[in-house]
Every structure is written in C-alpha cells, then in structure tokens.
C-alpha cells in the first residue's frame, strides 16, 4: 500500500508541475480544481514541490475575498536545449523550466547542408557554446530534423531519413553525440507539440500542422497525443504521391507532393514557364511569386493556382482521413501562401474534403510564426524531466 500511495504522490507532483509549466501561474485553489485534488492534497503536493525547489510563489492577486497566492515553476530548476537543423542554418536555443528563452546560438549551413557530418560539426559547436556557459545544468537536448527519425526496436541509435537534404540514412549520433541525453524528432511533429503544449488560447485535442518550405511534412495530434507511427516515421505527407507521372522527388519516387509544392518546385515552375530571373533569399523569391500572382501576372497566377489546387486535394484528403478541428500552416512558404491566399487555400481544401468534416474546421497560420521548431524540440526533454518527477528520479539543477 505504501508503494502505491508514494507512486500516486509522485504522479500528482508531476501533474501539478506540468500544469504550471504549460498553463501559466495559478493559485492552489485553481490547481486543485483543474486536477480534481482536495484542498489538503494540493497543499501537500505544492509544499513538497516548493521544498524541492521546483515551484515558487510568484506573489498575490487581489480577489473579492482575501488575496490569493500565485504559484509558478522555478525557472532556475532545470534547463533544456531545443536544436533545429533548418534550411539555412542550425539553431540552438536554451530554455528554462518556465519555457522562457534564455539564449541562443546558430551556425550558417551555406552549401554544407547535404553533408550530415558537416551539419553535425556545426550543431555540436553551437550546443557546446551554450552548454559551456551552464556546466552541469542542462537536463536534455531536443533535436528537430527535416525528416523522419526511426527508433529501432532494440533501443539502438535512432536513424534520421532526410531526403530533402540529400542525406543517406544517418544515425543521430553523427549529428549530435553528447553526454547530455539527446532526443531527436521530426521538425513538423515538434511544431505540433508546441501548438499542443504552449498555445494557451486554444488547447485542442485534434489538429494537424502542415509544413511548407523547402521540404513538406505533416504533424498530427489526435486525442491529445502526437501521432508518431509504429517506429516514429508517421507524417511524411510530402512524400505521398500527388501526380504518379510527376517530377522525380529527392526521395527517389515520382510525383511526391514535395516535388510539386516545395519551395524549389514552385520557383522552378515559375522560371520554366517564363518568369523573371530570381535573386535574393528564398523568402524574397517566394514573396515575389505571390505578389506577382496577386497582381494578376498570368505566369505567376498559373503556378500559384496549380499549387493551391494540389494542396487543396492533398490537405482535403488529410482532413477526410483524420477529421482535425484545426489545420495550422507552418513553414516559410506556407506562411507566405497564407498571407496572400488564405481564402483561396481554405476554399481549395474544403472543396476536396468530406463535407461534414469541414463544418467547424479552421485553417490558420501556426501560432508561433517561424519560431516554433526549436521551442517544440525543447519540449521533448522537458516532457522527459516531468516523467522523471513522476518516477522520483529528477532533481533540480541549481
């Protein structure tokens, strides 16, 4: 019986800490009501967390009765790194237990992104820069990659499949081998994780994130759980076949969605159809394409119309299969399309989805703009830390 009571106590400690981290400061009364714990129970749990240095009192808030004391996570109790292998650089960000960004480091990829060994060297250099300033205090590293991460059943080194970068299957240890625990995940999946955990205005249980950039992917949360598949390889929406006789994709198949609506595909179609010579960053060139289409240029309009139609069919199929409440559009191409053609994209999607599935559907830009991936990656070691609170093995790292 004692072991059962102790297990329940630790589980409730983890639930309280999780609620404060993800939902923000609140009183003991509100915490107890949300978690369905008695006033005595919540008081004992909070007292334990305060004594362990995991929770602190923030101050008081006036009410109609006596002032109430607000609680919040002790930001200094744990540090987590979120690292991202992006399209132009590797970005490493440090967060505390309140998920506040503390500092960041980045390394430009330039032309070296196709070499995972070089990417790994840059990534380790940026991570080491931050860890050196906080020796012994970083609890874990979340690594977001533009591809799938296969988790071997034998517990061996996870394998990254990133055809968009031209990589052969690459062990995670090639990218980041650290004494600090490293947890790798698909970049769109961690974006979905950030939407689920940190979007305090809209904590939905059924939604998808569609990423459109140099690569195309999908993250899905169903029944409040991130969909990963049997070995972590779910969400390869960009490598579903959109046109069987379409162009050759970097993954080796033909007609993949990524080969038709990814950044390079759209810009290539514009140029091949007689569009202007293109200079500047990818963001600038996609913006120029969207603005030309908006202004009625027939070549640009044709490229965008085809892209919206293809996306409408592909996302419509996703909605028909999964029935999400909301679709978040992420990635720099996706954000540009939503800025200029939100109504057109929404119409294209809903026209190709099963009608009843679209009654309450919303298609919106991601809540965090272009800064979602690293924070989403940091949520993975944070979740592991909270799991360790429940098991009794986590300690503050002051």
């Amino acid at each position: 019986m004692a072991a059962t009571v102790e297990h329940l106590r630790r589980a409730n400690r983890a639930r309280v800490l999780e609620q404060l981290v993800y939902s923000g400061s609140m009183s003991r009364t509100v915490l107890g009501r949300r978690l369905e714990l008695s006033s005595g129970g919540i008081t004992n749990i909070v007292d334990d967390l305060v004594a362990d240095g995991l929770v602190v009192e923030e101050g008081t808030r006036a009410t109609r009765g006596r002032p109430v004391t607000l609680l919040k996570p002790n930001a200094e109790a744990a540090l987590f790194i979120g690292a991202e292998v992006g399209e132009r650089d590797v970005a490493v960000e440090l967060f505390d237990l309140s998920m506040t960004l503390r500092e960041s480091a980045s390394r430009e990829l330039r032309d070296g992104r196709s070499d995972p060994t070089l990417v790994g060297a840059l990534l380790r250099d940026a991570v080491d820069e931050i860890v050196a300033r906080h020796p012994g205090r970083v609890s874990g590293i979340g690594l977001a990659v533009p591809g799938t991460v296969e988790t071997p059943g034998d517990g061996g080194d996870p394998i990254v499949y990133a055809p968009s970068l031209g990589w052969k299957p690459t062990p995670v240890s090639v990218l980041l081998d650290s004494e600090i625990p490293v947890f790798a995940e698909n970049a769109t999946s961690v974006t979905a994780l950030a939407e689920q955990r940190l979007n305090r205005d809209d904590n939905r249980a059924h939604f998808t994130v569609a990423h459109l950039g140099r690569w195309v992917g999908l993250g899905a949360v169903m029944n409040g759980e991130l969909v990963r598949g049997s070995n972590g390889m779910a969400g390869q929406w960009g490598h579903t076949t959109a046109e069987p006789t379409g162009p050759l994709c970097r993954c080796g198949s033909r007609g993949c969605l990524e080969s038709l609506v990814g950044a390079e595909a759209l810009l290539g179609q514009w140029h091949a159809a007689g569009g202007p010579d293109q200079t500047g960053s990818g963001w600038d060139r996609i913006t120029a394409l969207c603005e030309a289409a908006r202004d009625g240029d027939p070549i640009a309009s044709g490229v965008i119309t085809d892209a919206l139609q293809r996306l409408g069919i592909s996302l419509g199929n996703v909605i028909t299969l999964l029935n999400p409440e909301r679709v978040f559009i992420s990635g720099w191409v996706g954000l540009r399309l939503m800025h200029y053609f939100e109504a057109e994209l929404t119409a294209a999607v809903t026209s190709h989805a099963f009608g009843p599935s679209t009654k309450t559907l919303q298609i919106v830009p991601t809540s965090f703009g272009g800064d979602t991936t690293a924070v989403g990656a940091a949520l993975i070691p944070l979740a592991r830390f909270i799991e360790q609170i429940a098991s009794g093995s986590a300690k503050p790292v002051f």
Side-chain angles (χ1 to χ4, degrees), residues 6-367:
E6 176 63 17
H7 174 79
L8 181 60
R9 185 186 71 85
R10 290 199 303 259
N12 283 331
R13 280 163 51 91
R15 292 173 65 210
V16 168
L17 182 61
E18 183 178 52
Q19 189 72 215
L20 291 173
V21 170
Y22 294 138
S23 298
S25 302
M26 62 186 72
S27 67
R28 289 170 173 82
T29 301
V30 173
L31 270 170
R33 185 164 58 244
R34 287 196 179 190
L35 299 177
E36 299 181 340
L37 295 170
S38 68
S39 59
I42 193 66
T43 296
N44 290 335
I45 292 166
V46 168
D47 288 349
D48 282 351
L49 290 170
V50 170
D52 288 346
L54 292 166
V55 169
V56 295
E57 294 184 344
E58 184 178 33
T60 60
R61 180 175 62 194
T63 65
R64 291 183 180 179
R66 62 182 182 180
V68 298
T69 300
L70 297 179
L71 304 163
K72 67 177 182 179
N74 182 1
E76 299 299 326
L79 298 175
F80 311 96
I81 283 177
E84 172 192 5
V85 178
E87 299 184 10
R88 294 179 297 177
D89 58 15
V90 295
V92 177
E93 298 184 348
L94 180 74
F95 299 86
D96 59 32
L97 187 55
S98 68
M99 284 310 294
T100 299
L101 176 63
R102 301 287 289 268
E103 59 182 278
S104 61
S106 64
R107 300 291 186 272
E108 187 177 355
L109 287 176
R110 299 187 182 181
D111 297 326
R113 62 189 176 197
S114 61
D115 183 350
T117 302
L118 176 57
V119 172
L122 295 173
L123 188 59
R124 286 191 295 275
D125 188 55
V127 167
D128 289 346
E129 176 187 324
I130 288 181
V131 171
R133 290 196 286 270
H134 307 274
R137 299 197 59 214
V138 178
S139 296
I141 301 170
L143 173 61
V145 294
T148 56
V149 181
E150 180 183 20
T151 304
D154 61 3
D157 198 353
I159 303 297
V160 177
Y161 295 84
S164 301
L165 297 178
W167 293 0
K168 295 179 180 179
T170 302
V172 167
S173 59
V174 171
L175 298 173
L176 192 56
D177 188 10
S178 173
E179 294 181 357
I180 301 169
V182 177
F183 310 95
E185 184 59 88
N186 171 265
T188 310
S189 292
V190 302
T191 300
L193 197 60
E195 290 288 354
Q196 180 196 31
R197 296 294 191 180
L198 301 178
N199 187 347
R200 293 173 182 169
D201 295 328
D202 185 32
N203 187 16
R204 294 177 182 259
H206 311 278
F207 67 87
T208 60
V209 175
H211 176 93
L212 300 165
R214 185 173 187 265
W215 49 275
V216 174
L218 187 83
V221 169
M222 294 287 111
N223 298 314
E225 296 292 333
L226 182 66
V227 177
R228 300 192 72 253
S230 61
N231 58 354
M233 301 185 74
Q236 287 306 292
W237 179 53
H239 297 292
T240 57
T241 302
E243 291 186 11
T245 59
L248 186 66
C249 180
R250 285 175 289 226
C251 74
S253 298
R254 283 200 172 274
C256 291
L257 185 63
E258 183 173 292
S259 71
L260 296 165
V261 299
E264 293 179 1
L266 294 179
L267 294 173
Q269 293 161 21
W270 191 24
H271 181 73
D277 292 336
Q278 301 162 14
T279 58
S281 67
W283 175 272
D284 291 339
R285 288 180 287 158
I286 287 293
T287 299
L289 170 61
C290 290
E291 290 182 344
R294 178 202 61 189
D295 295 340
D297 177 83
I299 297 175
S301 295
V303 172
I304 293 297
T305 297
D306 287 348
L308 294 176
Q309 177 71 3
R310 288 159 172 159
L311 286 170
I313 293 171
S314 293
L315 264 182
N317 289 337
V318 169
I319 290 160
T320 299
L321 288 170
L322 299 181
N323 186 213
E325 298 169 288
R326 179 168 288 198
V327 174
F328 292 99
I329 305 296
S330 73
W332 53 281
V333 174
L335 294 177
R336 291 285 78 186
L337 289 176
M338 286 296 287
H339 178 78
Y340 291 100
F341 306 107
E342 180 175 352
E344 293 87 345
L345 178 57
T346 299
V349 172
T350 55
S351 68
H352 290 287
F354 180 56
S357 298
T358 66
K359 286 183 178 179
T360 59
L361 177 71
Q362 293 179 301
I363 301 174
V364 296
T366 183
S367 305

